[in-house]
């Protein structure tokens, strides 16, 4: 693949997989339905929304933009869907298929939004009493194309 913007977008989604995977991995069973206050989304709803964002991103990339708000599945199913929707989008980016929208627009919409929501999940983990360790993501082994739940172990976590 010779398009550096497309390649950078693939790496950005690998970053979402790494950070998002850390935010959802080993979450306590009660985490899915945690609500900090009446007006916040639950982690389950946020995770479902991230899946919706990547379904939307793929539809935009293909030139047939369509938004669908999925009914959240179980936590386990939404965790699997998270990685599946990332993979479908990245597989399209890695293909020879033309992008019907610029990588910059795909980044500024669905991909950047997903990073915001991964941050929300991380913050809600802490608020729910099940924090994850912070880490130097600069040192993390994030690999373009590594999209599934099997991610490298953290290299430098903070206590």
């Amino acid at each position: 693949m010779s398009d550096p913007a497309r390649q950078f977008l693939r790496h950005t989604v690998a970053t979402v997989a790494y950070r998002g995977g850390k935010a959802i991995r080993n979450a306590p069973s009660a985490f899915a339905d945690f609500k900090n206050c009446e007006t916040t989304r639950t982690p389950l709803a946020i995770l479902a929304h991230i899946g919706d964002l990547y379904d939307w991103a793929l539809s935009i990339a293909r030139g047939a933009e369509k938004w669908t708000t999925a009914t959240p599945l179980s936590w386990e199913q939404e965790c699997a869907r998270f990685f599946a929707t990332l993979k479908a989008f990245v597989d399209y980016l890695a293909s020879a298929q033309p992008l019907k929208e610029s990588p910059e627009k795909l980044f500024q919409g669905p991909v950047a939004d997903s990073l915001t929501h991964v941050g929300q999940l991380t913050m809600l983990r802490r608020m729910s009493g099940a924090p994850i360790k912070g880490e130097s993501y600069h040192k993390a082994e994030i690999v373009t194309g590594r999209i599934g739940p099997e991610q490298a172990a953290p290299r430098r976590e903070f206590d």
Side-chain angles (χ1 to χ4, degrees), residues 55-102:
D55 285 342
W56 180 48
L58 182 57
S59 76
I60 294 169
R62 289 179 171 161
E65 182 176 354
K66 181 182 179 196
W67 177 263
T68 303
T69 302
T71 300
L73 305 168
S74 71
W75 179 255
E76 294 76 20
Q77 290 171 307
E78 285 300 340
C79 288
R81 181 174 174 244
F82 169 75
F83 293 112
T85 59
L86 294 179
K87 182 177 183 333
F89 181 59
V90 165
D91 285 352
Y92 190 85
L93 292 175
S95 77
Q97 295 296 316
L99 288 181
K100 302 295 183 168
E101 184 57 86
S102 70

Side-chain angles (χ1 to χ4, degrees), residues 91-135:
D91 285 352
Y92 190 85
L93 292 175
S95 77
Q97 295 296 316
L99 288 181
K100 302 295 183 168
E101 184 57 86
S102 70
E104 294 82 2
K105 289 283 194 174
L106 288 164
F107 174 81
Q108 79 184 37
V111 176
D113 197 24
S114 74
L115 285 164
T116 298
H117 295 305
V118 166
Q120 288 174 324
L121 291 171
T122 300
M123 183 178 62
L124 288 170
R125 283 285 300 259
R126 181 169 299 282
M127 294 171 81
S128 73
I132 60 170
K133 287 187 174 186
E135 78 176 271

